Amino acid sequence: MTDVAAEDGPRIEPSARVLLHDLAVRRDRDEWIVGRMATRTFVALPAAGARALELLGEGRSVARTAETLRAETGEEFEITDFVRDLAALGFVARIADRPLPDAEPPRASLPWLRPRHVRFALHPAPAVLAGVLLAAAVAVLVRRPDLLPGYRDLLWSPHGSLVLFSGAAAGWALLLAHELAHLVTARAAGVPGRMRLGTRLQFLVMQTDISGIELAPRRHRMTAYLAGIALNLSVASALVLILAVTDTGTTAHRLLAAALLLALMPLPFQCMVFTRTDLYFVLQDVTGCRNLYGDGLAYARYVSRRVTRRLRPGRSTEAGDRSAEAGDQSVEAGDQSVEAGDPSVPLPPHERRAVRLYSVVLVAGTAACLAFMAAVTLPVDVALLVRAVRGLGPGHSLADTADSAAVLVTLGGINVLWLVTKWRDRRSRSGPSSP
């Protein structure tokens, strides 16, 4: 606690009692996850912090809480600073007879949807049904591999505008259903959740904030993380079964094949864990990391600075060795020796290993993604735009002109939406309310 924070925080007398807001607590390894669902604010506390929170919640004064902890652990704790930190997090409703101002809770999507309405989402039956559908679809595809879709199945009509608009409508409908699966499952666990547009590198995505799910049991957390993938697989499996009984060559068969491809297309994207996809949160939970992406990014930047410093031209070998030695000093923590300045040093050993491995995936995946955008995505977009502009000129039929106009409107709309969303994301991260 800095002096500035101490001056800005509320005045706390040793005899003061603290009234806490409704908090949820879950043990996680050697720590305790404490959070307030209304404001979606969460923090990891050591065992002593969780015990102090429990004592304060029982109505003990600040001084009495400190005395009890000292008697139980033999150590001194600054409970006054601890209470001030809790107040800054919005966990404290009142100190003595002084109520504290409360932040406006974030607005949830579909607030009318109550946990009792969607309790079925956490029942094992939906997962069993999804597994049965997937197994049946795999069995059908083994017998009839011709049902596997290819990119040509998207071109189900000779009219480009019809293909474009129908594909966009079906794709966004599936995307909305994917995010609704996350929202419904989280709401069943008592987590408000909020859906909104966002960006991941060059991708425009829809995302659902279900951060409160950290306080739920592991089975509920995994169900919420994997609900979207399960929905896509279930839709794709049902389409395979319908395709198997539909005559080939018909318009219905072509539409079903295009829909099947659209249902499967988001699944490879989920493997891109360096962009914080659904599987990223599964990975983060399995590894027991608090902020795998943020810590991995910090470690990658640290390694990059070290490499840049060592490869910087115009430095003598002796000076470079002295600088490297100064920059790579080690501090002993128990029986381990760790590098000073390494942001992964404060992390527990299991998190440190996971973060360092993930940083490699983060850098390699991001580089590959941006390279693909430069080599493939942008040239294709430019080619489509040029072709669409040429199609608007004289000498073209009305149908060609309509198709070209549809391409221009769709591509322009997507790019404008991406720019607006990216600007909003950057503004929210740099604003005073960003964490």
Side-chain angles (χ1 to χ4, degrees):
M1 174 65 65
T2 64
D3 294 338
V4 174
E7 292 175 2
D8 292 343
R11 181 178 177 83
I12 304 172
E13 300 292 343
S15 60
R17 285 179 169 80
V18 175
L19 177 64
L20 300 173
H21 285 289
D22 186 17
L23 303 177
V25 181
R26 175 179 68 83
R27 184 168 185 172
D28 186 42
R29 299 177 186 261
D30 297 330
E31 295 181 319
W32 296 80
I33 308 299
V34 180
R36 185 181 172 198
M37 199 68 70
T39 57
R40 297 172 212 168
T41 307
F42 309 93
V43 66
L45 295 177
R51 177 60 175 155
L53 199 68
E54 180 183 3
L55 295 172
L56 291 169
E58 292 174 355
R60 305 198 188 196
S61 67
V62 172
R64 183 59 179 160
T65 298
E67 292 173 3
T68 304
L69 281 175
R70 183 171 60 250
E72 292 178 353
T73 66
E75 300 180 9
E76 294 286 344
F77 294 92
E78 293 293 337
I79 302 301
T80 300
D81 288 345
F82 179 69
V83 171
R84 193 171 284 115
D85 289 338
L86 293 177
L89 290 168
F91 289 176
V92 179
R94 189 174 68 240
I95 298 176
D97 58 350
R98 301 188 307 276
L100 299 185
D102 198 8
E104 182 74 18
R107 190 174 67 177
S109 298
L110 307 182
W112 49 266
L113 190 66
R114 304 299 180 187
R116 67 177 183 273
H117 298 153
V118 289
R119 194 70 70 188
F120 67 89
L122 295 176
H123 194 275
V128 172
L129 178 60
V132 170
L133 272 175
L134 181 60
V138 170
V140 169
L141 290 175
V142 169
R143 296 184 59 187
R144 292 190 55 185
D146 59 292
L147 294 178
L148 282 171
Y151 73 93
R152 289 187 177 87
D153 289 314
L154 290 176
L155 307 175
W156 60 273
S157 171
H159 301 290
S161 57
L162 190 57
V163 170
L164 195 61
F165 286 135
S166 63
W172 280 98
L174 285 168
L175 183 60
L176 179 61
H178 178 105
E179 297 304 322
L180 275 174
H182 291 303
L183 181 70
V184 165
T185 310
R187 189 65 54 83
V191 178
R194 184 184 180 188
M195 297 190 302
R196 65 184 184 89
L197 288 176
T199 56
R200 292 287 186 266
L201 291 178
Q202 71 265 36
F203 304 106
L204 177 67
V205 299
M206 184 176 287
Q207 53 195 14
T208 304
D209 177 12
I210 55 171
S211 52
I213 203 68
E214 287 95 339
L215 294 166
R218 166 162 282 191
R219 185 178 72 84
H220 293 177
R221 299 198 305 270
M222 290 300 177
T223 303
Y225 295 148
L226 296 173
I229 293 177
L231 183 133
N232 279 82
L233 287 174
S234 298
V235 171
S237 300
L239 289 172
V240 168
L241 299 179
I242 298 173
L243 272 172
V245 296
T246 306
D247 294 334
T248 59
T250 62
T251 301
H253 191 278
R254 291 195 298 271
L255 280 171
L256 288 170
L260 173 58
L261 188 59
L262 289 172
L264 292 174
M265 281 174 61
L267 297 181
F269 173 76
Q270 298 298 337
C271 297
M272 299 165 61
V273 294
F274 53 90
T275 60
R276 288 171 290 174
T277 58
D278 297 347
L279 291 181
Y280 159 80
F281 291 101
V282 173
L283 179 64
Q284 179 173 256
D285 197 288
V286 169
T287 57
C289 295
R290 296 282 174 260
N291 185 8
L292 185 59
Y293 180 86
D295 293 336
L297 183 60
Y299 182 74
R301 287 172 173 169
Y302 162 74
V303 173
S304 175
R305 288 194 298 267
R306 283 188 59 193
V307 172
T308 302
R309 185 173 61 243
R310 292 190 175 189
L311 297 179
R312 188 178 300 163
R315 298 173 57 186
S316 66
T317 304
E318 182 180 356
D321 292 341
R322 287 199 303 269
S323 177
E325 182 180 356
D328 298 336
Q329 290 177 346
S330 297
V331 293
E332 291 188 0
D335 295 330
Q336 294 181 341
S337 178
V338 291
E339 293 181 34
D342 185 344
S344 66
V345 166
L347 301 175
H350 72 276
E351 285 195 48
R352 190 182 308 129
R353 290 189 295 268
V355 163
R356 290 177 176 179
L357 287 174
Y358 177 76
S359 67
V360 177
V361 177
L362 175 62
V363 172
T366 302
C369 230
L370 295 178
F372 183 84
M373 179 184 68
V376 178
T377 306
L378 289 178
V380 168
D381 284 347
V382 171
L384 286 174
L385 287 172
V386 170
R387 184 181 300 177
V389 171
R390 289 175 177 173
L392 295 177
H396 295 277
S397 66
L398 183 61
D400 291 340
T401 302
D403 285 347
S404 298
V407 170
L408 285 174
V409 170
T410 303
L411 289 178
I414 291 175
N415 282 285
V416 168
L417 189 59
W418 184 89
L419 288 172
V420 170
T421 306
K422 195 74 171 179
W423 172 79
R424 187 205 62 196
D425 287 350
R426 287 185 178 275
R427 185 179 179 185
S428 64
R429 285 195 297 266
S430 61
S433 60
S434 62

PDB file of all heavy atoms in Angstrom, residues 162-192:
ATOM      1  N   LEU A 162     -26.585 -13.476 -53.607  1.00  0.00           N
ATOM      2  CA  LEU A 162     -27.403 -14.394 -52.819  1.00  0.00           C
ATOM      3  C   LEU A 162     -26.525 -15.256 -51.916  1.00  0.00           C
ATOM      4  O   LEU A 162     -26.839 -15.474 -50.736  1.00  0.00           O
ATOM      5  CB  LEU A 162     -28.244 -15.265 -53.744  1.00  0.00           C
ATOM      6  CG  LEU A 162     -29.341 -16.113 -53.083  1.00  0.00           C
ATOM      7  CD1 LEU A 162     -30.307 -15.247 -52.308  1.00  0.00           C
ATOM      8  CD2 LEU A 162     -30.069 -16.938 -54.137  1.00  0.00           C
ATOM      9  N   VAL A 163     -25.411 -15.744 -52.458  1.00  0.00           N
ATOM     10  CA  VAL A 163     -24.470 -16.543 -51.669  1.00  0.00           C
ATOM     11  C   VAL A 163     -23.884 -15.716 -50.536  1.00  0.00           C
ATOM     12  O   VAL A 163     -23.772 -16.175 -49.388  1.00  0.00           O
ATOM     13  CB  VAL A 163     -23.353 -17.091 -52.580  1.00  0.00           C
ATOM     14  CG1 VAL A 163     -22.234 -17.715 -51.748  1.00  0.00           C
ATOM     15  CG2 VAL A 163     -23.907 -18.109 -53.562  1.00  0.00           C
ATOM     16  N   LEU A 164     -23.528 -14.482 -50.847  1.00  0.00           N
ATOM     17  CA  LEU A 164     -22.895 -13.615 -49.861  1.00  0.00           C
ATOM     18  C   LEU A 164     -23.845 -13.287 -48.713  1.00  0.00           C
ATOM     19  O   LEU A 164     -23.494 -13.431 -47.528  1.00  0.00           O
ATOM     20  CB  LEU A 164     -22.433 -12.329 -50.543  1.00  0.00           C
ATOM     21  CG  LEU A 164     -21.450 -11.445 -49.786  1.00  0.00           C
ATOM     22  CD1 LEU A 164     -20.166 -12.181 -49.496  1.00  0.00           C
ATOM     23  CD2 LEU A 164     -21.177 -10.186 -50.594  1.00  0.00           C
ATOM     24  N   PHE A 165     -25.060 -12.860 -49.039  1.00  0.00           N
ATOM     25  CA  PHE A 165     -25.993 -12.463 -47.992  1.00  0.00           C
ATOM     26  C   PHE A 165     -26.481 -13.654 -47.166  1.00  0.00           C
ATOM     27  O   PHE A 165     -26.608 -13.567 -45.947  1.00  0.00           O
ATOM     28  CB  PHE A 165     -27.191 -11.720 -48.602  1.00  0.00           C
ATOM     29  CG  PHE A 165     -26.873 -10.335 -49.056  1.00  0.00           C
ATOM     30  CD1 PHE A 165     -27.313  -9.858 -50.275  1.00  0.00           C
ATOM     31  CD2 PHE A 165     -26.111  -9.487 -48.259  1.00  0.00           C
ATOM     32  CE1 PHE A 165     -27.011  -8.571 -50.705  1.00  0.00           C
ATOM     33  CE2 PHE A 165     -25.806  -8.202 -48.670  1.00  0.00           C
ATOM     34  CZ  PHE A 165     -26.252  -7.743 -49.891  1.00  0.00           C
ATOM     35  N   SER A 166     -26.754 -14.761 -47.830  1.00  0.00           N
ATOM     36  CA  SER A 166     -27.212 -15.939 -47.088  1.00  0.00           C
ATOM     37  C   SER A 166     -26.103 -16.476 -46.193  1.00  0.00           C
ATOM     38  O   SER A 166     -26.357 -16.893 -45.051  1.00  0.00           O
ATOM     39  CB  SER A 166     -27.684 -17.032 -48.050  1.00  0.00           C
ATOM     40  OG  SER A 166     -26.608 -17.480 -48.875  1.00  0.00           O
ATOM     41  N   GLY A 167     -24.859 -16.460 -46.700  1.00  0.00           N
ATOM     42  CA  GLY A 167     -23.734 -16.913 -45.887  1.00  0.00           C
ATOM     43  C   GLY A 167     -23.508 -16.016 -44.686  1.00  0.00           C
ATOM     44  O   GLY A 167     -23.255 -16.498 -43.573  1.00  0.00           O
ATOM     45  N   ALA A 168     -23.611 -14.703 -44.898  1.00  0.00           N
ATOM     46  CA  ALA A 168     -23.432 -13.764 -43.786  1.00  0.00           C
ATOM     47  C   ALA A 168     -24.533 -13.944 -42.747  1.00  0.00           C
ATOM     48  O   ALA A 168     -24.275 -13.948 -41.535  1.00  0.00           O
ATOM     49  CB  ALA A 168     -23.419 -12.333 -44.306  1.00  0.00           C
ATOM     50  N   ALA A 169     -25.785 -14.104 -43.218  1.00  0.00           N
ATOM     51  CA  ALA A 169     -26.897 -14.270 -42.280  1.00  0.00           C
ATOM     52  C   ALA A 169     -26.751 -15.560 -41.474  1.00  0.00           C
ATOM     53  O   ALA A 169     -26.916 -15.566 -40.243  1.00  0.00           O
ATOM     54  CB  ALA A 169     -28.221 -14.269 -43.046  1.00  0.00           C
ATOM     55  N   ALA A 170     -26.423 -16.664 -42.160  1.00  0.00           N
ATOM     56  CA  ALA A 170     -26.276 -17.941 -41.459  1.00  0.00           C
ATOM     57  C   ALA A 170     -25.067 -17.916 -40.523  1.00  0.00           C
ATOM     58  O   ALA A 170     -25.130 -18.420 -39.387  1.00  0.00           O
ATOM     59  CB  ALA A 170     -26.141 -19.080 -42.470  1.00  0.00           C
ATOM     60  N   GLY A 171     -23.969 -17.305 -40.973  1.00  0.00           N
ATOM     61  CA  GLY A 171     -22.766 -17.245 -40.145  1.00  0.00           C
ATOM     62  C   GLY A 171     -22.977 -16.451 -38.869  1.00  0.00           C
ATOM     63  O   GLY A 171     -22.592 -16.886 -37.783  1.00  0.00           O
ATOM     64  N   TRP A 172     -23.632 -15.293 -38.976  1.00  0.00           N
ATOM     65  CA  TRP A 172     -23.881 -14.481 -37.791  1.00  0.00           C
ATOM     66  C   TRP A 172     -24.919 -15.131 -36.883  1.00  0.00           C
ATOM     67  O   TRP A 172     -24.851 -14.986 -35.653  1.00  0.00           O
ATOM     68  CB  TRP A 172     -24.312 -13.078 -38.184  1.00  0.00           C
ATOM     69  CG  TRP A 172     -23.161 -12.213 -38.570  1.00  0.00           C
ATOM     70  CD1 TRP A 172     -22.721 -11.924 -39.819  1.00  0.00           C
ATOM     71  CD2 TRP A 172     -22.270 -11.541 -37.667  1.00  0.00           C
ATOM     72  NE1 TRP A 172     -21.614 -11.117 -39.777  1.00  0.00           N
ATOM     73  CE2 TRP A 172     -21.304 -10.860 -38.469  1.00  0.00           C
ATOM     74  CE3 TRP A 172     -22.178 -11.437 -36.295  1.00  0.00           C
ATOM     75  CZ2 TRP A 172     -20.285 -10.099 -37.921  1.00  0.00           C
ATOM     76  CZ3 TRP A 172     -21.156 -10.679 -35.739  1.00  0.00           C
ATOM     77  CH2 TRP A 172     -20.226 -10.025 -36.546  1.00  0.00           C
ATOM     78  N   ALA A 173     -25.886 -15.843 -37.470  1.00  0.00           N
ATOM     79  CA  ALA A 173     -26.864 -16.556 -36.638  1.00  0.00           C
ATOM     80  C   ALA A 173     -26.178 -17.650 -35.825  1.00  0.00           C
ATOM     81  O   ALA A 173     -26.456 -17.826 -34.628  1.00  0.00           O
ATOM     82  CB  ALA A 173     -27.961 -17.152 -37.517  1.00  0.00           C
ATOM     83  N   LEU A 174     -25.270 -18.391 -36.452  1.00  0.00           N
ATOM     84  CA  LEU A 174     -24.528 -19.430 -35.736  1.00  0.00           C
ATOM     85  C   LEU A 174     -23.616 -18.818 -34.676  1.00  0.00           C
ATOM     86  O   LEU A 174     -23.450 -19.376 -33.580  1.00  0.00           O
ATOM     87  CB  LEU A 174     -23.704 -20.259 -36.727  1.00  0.00           C
ATOM     88  CG  LEU A 174     -24.491 -21.262 -37.570  1.00  0.00           C
ATOM     89  CD1 LEU A 174     -23.625 -21.802 -38.699  1.00  0.00           C
ATOM     90  CD2 LEU A 174     -24.982 -22.414 -36.700  1.00  0.00           C
ATOM     91  N   LEU A 175     -23.008 -17.677 -35.018  1.00  0.00           N
ATOM     92  CA  LEU A 175     -22.143 -16.998 -34.044  1.00  0.00           C
ATOM     93  C   LEU A 175     -22.939 -16.542 -32.827  1.00  0.00           C
ATOM     94  O   LEU A 175     -22.499 -16.690 -31.672  1.00  0.00           O
ATOM     95  CB  LEU A 175     -21.463 -15.807 -34.715  1.00  0.00           C
ATOM     96  CG  LEU A 175     -20.459 -15.014 -33.875  1.00  0.00           C
ATOM     97  CD1 LEU A 175     -19.317 -15.904 -33.420  1.00  0.00           C
ATOM     98  CD2 LEU A 175     -19.917 -13.829 -34.683  1.00  0.00           C
ATOM     99  N   LEU A 176     -24.136 -15.996 -33.065  1.00  0.00           N
ATOM    100  CA  LEU A 176     -24.992 -15.567 -31.964  1.00  0.00           C
ATOM    101  C   LEU A 176     -25.405 -16.765 -31.112  1.00  0.00           C
ATOM    102  O   LEU A 176     -25.407 -16.693 -29.867  1.00  0.00           O
ATOM    103  CB  LEU A 176     -26.219 -14.851 -32.511  1.00  0.00           C
ATOM    104  CG  LEU A 176     -27.235 -14.353 -31.465  1.00  0.00           C
ATOM    105  CD1 LEU A 176     -26.599 -13.347 -30.526  1.00  0.00           C
ATOM    106  CD2 LEU A 176     -28.454 -13.745 -32.159  1.00  0.00           C
ATOM    107  N   ALA A 177     -25.746 -17.886 -31.765  1.00  0.00           N
ATOM    108  CA  ALA A 177     -26.127 -19.085 -31.018  1.00  0.00           C
ATOM    109  C   ALA A 177     -24.953 -19.610 -30.195  1.00  0.00           C
ATOM    110  O   ALA A 177     -25.128 -20.077 -29.062  1.00  0.00           O
ATOM    111  CB  ALA A 177     -26.621 -20.159 -31.986  1.00  0.00           C
ATOM    112  N   HIS A 178     -23.739 -19.527 -30.756  1.00  0.00           N
ATOM    113  CA  HIS A 178     -22.529 -19.952 -30.047  1.00  0.00           C
ATOM    114  C   HIS A 178     -22.349 -19.145 -28.754  1.00  0.00           C
ATOM    115  O   HIS A 178     -22.107 -19.706 -27.681  1.00  0.00           O
ATOM    116  CB  HIS A 178     -21.326 -19.765 -30.978  1.00  0.00           C
ATOM    117  CG  HIS A 178     -20.011 -20.104 -30.366  1.00  0.00           C
ATOM    118  ND1 HIS A 178     -19.317 -21.256 -30.677  1.00  0.00           N
ATOM    119  CD2 HIS A 178     -19.232 -19.451 -29.464  1.00  0.00           C
ATOM    120  CE1 HIS A 178     -18.191 -21.292 -29.987  1.00  0.00           C
ATOM    121  NE2 HIS A 178     -18.116 -20.199 -29.252  1.00  0.00           N
ATOM    122  N   GLU A 179     -22.484 -17.826 -28.864  1.00  0.00           N
ATOM    123  CA  GLU A 179     -22.308 -16.980 -27.685  1.00  0.00           C
ATOM    124  C   GLU A 179     -23.470 -17.124 -26.704  1.00  0.00           C
ATOM    125  O   GLU A 179     -23.276 -17.033 -25.486  1.00  0.00           O
ATOM    126  CB  GLU A 179     -22.150 -15.513 -28.109  1.00  0.00           C
ATOM    127  CG  GLU A 179     -20.923 -15.243 -28.957  1.00  0.00           C
ATOM    128  CD  GLU A 179     -19.633 -15.696 -28.283  1.00  0.00           C
ATOM    129  OE1 GLU A 179     -19.510 -15.546 -27.045  1.00  0.00           O
ATOM    130  OE2 GLU A 179     -18.751 -16.212 -28.993  1.00  0.00           O
ATOM    131  N   LEU A 180     -24.668 -17.365 -27.225  1.00  0.00           N
ATOM    132  CA  LEU A 180     -25.804 -17.590 -26.338  1.00  0.00           C
ATOM    133  C   LEU A 180     -25.602 -18.859 -25.512  1.00  0.00           C
ATOM    134  O   LEU A 180     -26.045 -18.924 -24.355  1.00  0.00           O
ATOM    135  CB  LEU A 180     -27.097 -17.690 -27.149  1.00  0.00           C
ATOM    136  CG  LEU A 180     -27.780 -16.372 -27.505  1.00  0.00           C
ATOM    137  CD1 LEU A 180     -28.953 -16.613 -28.435  1.00  0.00           C
ATOM    138  CD2 LEU A 180     -28.246 -15.643 -26.246  1.00  0.00           C
ATOM    139  N   ALA A 181     -24.937 -19.851 -26.095  1.00  0.00           N
ATOM    140  CA  ALA A 181     -24.654 -21.076 -25.348  1.00  0.00           C
ATOM    141  C   ALA A 181     -23.764 -20.768 -24.146  1.00  0.00           C
ATOM    142  O   ALA A 181     -23.984 -21.286 -23.038  1.00  0.00           O
ATOM    143  CB  ALA A 181     -23.992 -22.105 -26.260  1.00  0.00           C
ATOM    144  N   HIS A 182     -22.747 -19.905 -24.346  1.00  0.00           N
ATOM    145  CA  HIS A 182     -21.909 -19.478 -23.212  1.00  0.00           C
ATOM    146  C   HIS A 182     -22.750 -18.730 -22.174  1.00  0.00           C
ATOM    147  O   HIS A 182     -22.641 -18.974 -20.969  1.00  0.00           O
ATOM    148  CB  HIS A 182     -20.785 -18.564 -23.700  1.00  0.00           C
ATOM    149  CG  HIS A 182     -19.747 -19.244 -24.529  1.00  0.00           C
ATOM    150  ND1 HIS A 182     -19.026 -20.331 -24.089  1.00  0.00           N
ATOM    151  CD2 HIS A 182     -19.286 -18.977 -25.781  1.00  0.00           C
ATOM    152  CE1 HIS A 182     -18.172 -20.704 -25.025  1.00  0.00           C
ATOM    153  NE2 HIS A 182     -18.315 -19.895 -26.061  1.00  0.00           N
ATOM    154  N   LEU A 183     -23.555 -17.788 -22.650  1.00  0.00           N
ATOM    155  CA  LEU A 183     -24.331 -16.942 -21.747  1.00  0.00           C
ATOM    156  C   LEU A 183     -25.324 -17.768 -20.933  1.00  0.00           C
ATOM    157  O   LEU A 183     -25.440 -17.596 -19.712  1.00  0.00           O
ATOM    158  CB  LEU A 183     -25.069 -15.864 -22.545  1.00  0.00           C
ATOM    159  CG  LEU A 183     -25.911 -14.888 -21.721  1.00  0.00           C
ATOM    160  CD1 LEU A 183     -25.018 -13.978 -20.901  1.00  0.00           C
ATOM    161  CD2 LEU A 183     -26.816 -14.071 -22.627  1.00  0.00           C
ATOM    162  N   VAL A 184     -26.049 -18.678 -21.611  1.00  0.00           N
ATOM    163  CA  VAL A 184     -27.058 -19.482 -20.935  1.00  0.00           C
ATOM    164  C   VAL A 184     -26.419 -20.390 -19.887  1.00  0.00           C
ATOM    165  O   VAL A 184     -26.909 -20.515 -18.753  1.00  0.00           O
ATOM    166  CB  VAL A 184     -27.849 -20.306 -21.973  1.00  0.00           C
ATOM    167  CG1 VAL A 184     -28.649 -21.405 -21.301  1.00  0.00           C
ATOM    168  CG2 VAL A 184     -28.777 -19.400 -22.772  1.00  0.00           C
ATOM    169  N   THR A 185     -25.302 -21.021 -20.238  1.00  0.00           N
ATOM    170  CA  THR A 185     -24.641 -21.913 -19.288  1.00  0.00           C
ATOM    171  C   THR A 185     -24.111 -21.138 -18.083  1.00  0.00           C
ATOM    172  O   THR A 185     -24.234 -21.591 -16.940  1.00  0.00           O
ATOM    173  CB  THR A 185     -23.485 -22.658 -19.977  1.00  0.00           C
ATOM    174  OG1 THR A 185     -23.953 -23.243 -21.190  1.00  0.00           O
ATOM    175  CG2 THR A 185     -22.946 -23.751 -19.087  1.00  0.00           C
ATOM    176  N   ALA A 186     -23.509 -19.972 -18.331  1.00  0.00           N
ATOM    177  CA  ALA A 186     -23.019 -19.157 -17.228  1.00  0.00           C
ATOM    178  C   ALA A 186     -24.173 -18.645 -16.370  1.00  0.00           C
ATOM    179  O   ALA A 186     -24.077 -18.622 -15.134  1.00  0.00           O
ATOM    180  CB  ALA A 186     -22.197 -17.987 -17.768  1.00  0.00           C
ATOM    181  N   ARG A 187     -25.277 -18.245 -17.000  1.00  0.00           N
ATOM    182  CA  ARG A 187     -26.425 -17.756 -16.237  1.00  0.00           C
ATOM    183  C   ARG A 187     -26.995 -18.867 -15.355  1.00  0.00           C
ATOM    184  O   ARG A 187     -27.466 -18.595 -14.237  1.00  0.00           O
ATOM    185  CB  ARG A 187     -27.502 -17.235 -17.203  1.00  0.00           C
ATOM    186  CG  ARG A 187     -28.650 -16.496 -16.564  1.00  0.00           C
ATOM    187  CD  ARG A 187     -28.203 -15.201 -15.900  1.00  0.00           C
ATOM    188  NE  ARG A 187     -27.476 -14.330 -16.796  1.00  0.00           N
ATOM    189  CZ  ARG A 187     -28.043 -13.486 -17.675  1.00  0.00           C
ATOM    190  NH1 ARG A 187     -29.354 -13.405 -17.761  1.00  0.00           N
ATOM    191  NH2 ARG A 187     -27.289 -12.718 -18.447  1.00  0.00           N
ATOM    192  N   ALA A 188     -26.953 -20.102 -15.838  1.00  0.00           N
ATOM    193  CA  ALA A 188     -27.416 -21.222 -15.017  1.00  0.00           C
ATOM    194  C   ALA A 188     -26.568 -21.373 -13.759  1.00  0.00           C
ATOM    195  O   ALA A 188     -27.058 -21.845 -12.728  1.00  0.00           O
ATOM    196  CB  ALA A 188     -27.378 -22.515 -15.830  1.00  0.00           C
ATOM    197  N   ALA A 189     -25.290 -20.955 -13.832  1.00  0.00           N
ATOM    198  CA  ALA A 189     -24.397 -21.010 -12.671  1.00  0.00           C
ATOM    199  C   ALA A 189     -24.471 -19.743 -11.836  1.00  0.00           C
ATOM    200  O   ALA A 189     -23.696 -19.590 -10.885  1.00  0.00           O
ATOM    201  CB  ALA A 189     -22.962 -21.244 -13.133  1.00  0.00           C
ATOM    202  N   GLY A 190     -25.385 -18.821 -12.197  1.00  0.00           N
ATOM    203  CA  GLY A 190     -25.543 -17.596 -11.423  1.00  0.00           C
ATOM    204  C   GLY A 190     -24.655 -16.452 -11.860  1.00  0.00           C
ATOM    205  O   GLY A 190     -24.553 -15.444 -11.151  1.00  0.00           O
ATOM    206  N   VAL A 191     -24.019 -16.564 -13.026  1.00  0.00           N
ATOM    207  CA  VAL A 191     -23.127 -15.516 -13.533  1.00  0.00           C
ATOM    208  C   VAL A 191     -23.905 -14.646 -14.521  1.00  0.00           C
ATOM    209  O   VAL A 191     -24.494 -15.176 -15.470  1.00  0.00           O
ATOM    210  CB  VAL A 191     -21.891 -16.134 -14.217  1.00  0.00           C
ATOM    211  CG1 VAL A 191     -20.990 -15.053 -14.783  1.00  0.00           C
ATOM    212  CG2 VAL A 191     -21.132 -17.014 -13.228  1.00  0.00           C
ATOM    213  N   PRO A 192     -23.915 -13.309 -14.360  1.00  0.00           N
ATOM    214  CA  PRO A 192     -24.726 -12.455 -15.248  1.00  0.00           C
ATOM    215  C   PRO A 192     -24.345 -12.595 -16.719  1.00  0.00           C
ATOM    216  O   PRO A 192     -25.158 -12.984 -17.544  1.00  0.00           O
ATOM    217  CB  PRO A 192     -24.450 -11.042 -14.720  1.00  0.00           C
ATOM    218  CG  PRO A 192     -24.008 -11.243 -13.309  1.00  0.00           C
ATOM    219  CD  PRO A 192     -23.276 -12.541 -13.275  1.00  0.00           C
TER     220      PRO A 192
END
